[in-house]
Amino acid sequence: MTLGDYPDPAPARQAHTASAPLLKVDRLIAGYGDSVVLHGIALDVLEGEIVSLLGRNGAGKTTTLRSIMGLTSPRAGQVRFRGVEIGGRPPYAIARLGIGYVPDDRRIFPNLTVEENLLLAARMSTGRGRWTLDRVYDLFPALRPLRASRGDHLSGGEQKMLAIGRALMKDPDLVLLDEPAEGLAPLVVRHLIEVLREIRGTRITLLIADQNLNFCRWVADRAYVMEKGMIRASGTMEALWKDEQVIARYLAV
Ligand SMILES: Nc1ncnc2c1ncn2[C@@H]1O[C@H](COP(=O)(O)OP(=O)(O)O)[C@@H](O)[C@H]1O
Ligand SMILES: [Mg+2]
C-alpha cells in the first residue's frame, strides 16, 4: 500500500512519565489449549496516546488484544487498567470499565441496519455521554446515507467504519483496534488515518494492532514490535521508521 504524498505524520509526543499508564501489561502469558502463544508481554499505554503493536502474521498481536479484553484468559502476568488488575475478568466487565474492542473480523450484525447496529452498541455504553449517532455520522459521513442499509450490504471499508462506530457508541476511554487498515483501498485508508487522528482529539486512547508499518507511521506515537509472542523492540514511531535492522528482522515481508 502506498499513501503517496500524505502530509507528514504526527510528531512523536513526549511520554508523561510522571503519570501512571492507562493500560499496563506485564509478564503476560497466554495461549490456546496446550499451546502458549504469548511468552511474557510487557507494554504500557499512556492516556491520550496512539500506540501500535506491530509484527508479522502470527506474531501474537491479536492474542495480546484478546487477552487484554478478557477473551483469552491470561495464564500469568498482569493486565492493569487505571491501576486496577483486570486479568481474568470476563469481557463484559472489562468493556464496562471503558475498554472498547474492534476485532479484525469486524463482528457487526449483518441482518441489522447501520443505525440498529449503532443503537445496539449504545445500549452497552459506559454512559459518559460523549458519543451520539450524529457524532459517529459526522466522523464517518459515508455511513449517514446508509443508516437504513443492512450490515451485509456494506462494503469492507464501510463495515470497518461501522465496527469502529459501534465501539465509539459504547463510549470507551481506550479502544483496541485489530488490523483496521487490512484489505482497505488506499483512499479509504487515508480517510481512516484522518478519523483516527480525530478520535485521538476526543481524549480516547488507542492501541492498534497492525502488520502495516506504513499505516502505523501515520497514526501512532509509539510502537511495540512483536515476534513469536514476545516484544522485540519498542520506541517512538519516528525512531522505528528509521530502524532498518528492526524493520528487516521483524517487519519486512
Ligand atoms: N484460536 C486459536 N487456537 C490456536 N492457536 C491460535 C488461535 N489463534 C491464534 N493462534 C496461534 O497463535 C499465534 C499468534 O496468533 P495471533 O495472535 O493471531 O497473531 P497475529 O494477530 O499477530 O497475526 C499463531 O501461531 C496462531 O496460529
Ligand atoms: Mg491478528
Side-chain angles (χ1 to χ4, degrees):
M1 181 193 69
T2 50
L3 291 167
D5 55 356
Y6 197 82
D8 279 349
R13 296 176 319 156
Q14 205 63 45
H16 319 281
T17 37
S19 68
L22 183 63
L23 176 74
K24 186 173 186 65
V25 175
D26 199 22
R27 288 168 288 170
L28 174 67
I29 295 175
Y32 305 93
D34 289 337
S35 72
V36 176
V37 170
L38 303 181
H39 303 275
I41 298 291
L43 60 86
D44 287 350
V45 180
L46 306 180
E47 190 138 28
E49 274 192 311
I50 301 186
V51 174
S52 62
L53 191 58
L54 282 152
R56 293 192 186 97
N57 209 1
K61 305 181 295 296
T62 295
T63 306
T64 302
L65 297 191
R66 288 180 54 90
S67 302
I68 295 167
M69 206 57 213
L71 294 160
T72 299
S73 292
R75 293 187 192 176
Q78 273 103 47
V79 181
R80 292 215 170 90
F81 183 63
R82 296 195 186 289
V84 175
E85 179 60 46
I86 60 169
R89 293 198 194 183
Y92 73 88
I94 292 173
R96 211 163 44 198
L97 290 174
I99 305 184
Y101 175 53
V102 182
D104 51 358
D105 64 2
R106 309 192 278 270
R107 214 79 52 89
I108 60 168
F109 294 102
N111 54 334
L112 298 185
T113 65
V114 165
E115 192 137 309
E116 286 166 345
N117 264 283
L118 293 172
L119 289 173
L120 200 60
R123 286 167 55 180
M124 292 172 268
S125 169
T126 57
R128 293 184 185 27
R130 289 175 299 201
W131 289 90
T132 58
L133 277 178
D134 255 343
R135 244 188 117 189
V136 169
Y137 290 141
D138 286 346
L139 196 61
F140 298 110
L143 291 182
R144 203 185 292 269
L146 295 170
R147 60 207 300 169
S149 301
R150 279 167 51 120
D152 56 359
H153 292 181
L154 304 181
S155 70
E158 288 157 359
Q159 288 187 22
K160 289 231 173 184
M161 294 179 208
L162 179 55
I164 296 172
R166 280 181 49 89
L168 295 175
M169 288 300 280
K170 296 177 191 172
D171 228 331
D173 296 319
L174 169 69
V175 178
L176 314 175
L177 273 179
D178 202 353
E179 303 276 353
E182 187 198 19
L184 299 185
L187 212 63
V188 182
V189 173
R190 282 190 195 208
H191 176 61
L192 183 64
I193 289 168
E194 275 161 26
V195 165
L196 295 178
R197 289 174 172 187
E198 251 178 79
I199 291 174
R200 188 238 297 270
T202 65
R203 296 189 41 231
I204 287 181
T205 304
L206 294 168
L207 176 60
I208 304 176
D210 212 295
Q211 310 185 32
N212 191 327
L213 174 63
N214 200 16
F215 168 71
C216 290
R217 181 192 180 198
W218 303 112
V219 288
D221 306 302
R222 284 194 303 121
Y224 289 91
V225 179
M226 285 189 81
E227 187 216 33
K228 293 187 180 144
M230 288 188 257
I231 303 283
R232 304 291 190 174
S234 66
T236 65
M237 215 56 233
E238 283 286 296
L240 173 61
W241 183 253
K242 293 178 194 138
D243 194 333
E244 288 170 23
Q245 232 176 359
V246 166
I247 292 172
R249 203 176 293 170
Y250 304 121
L251 298 174
V253 279

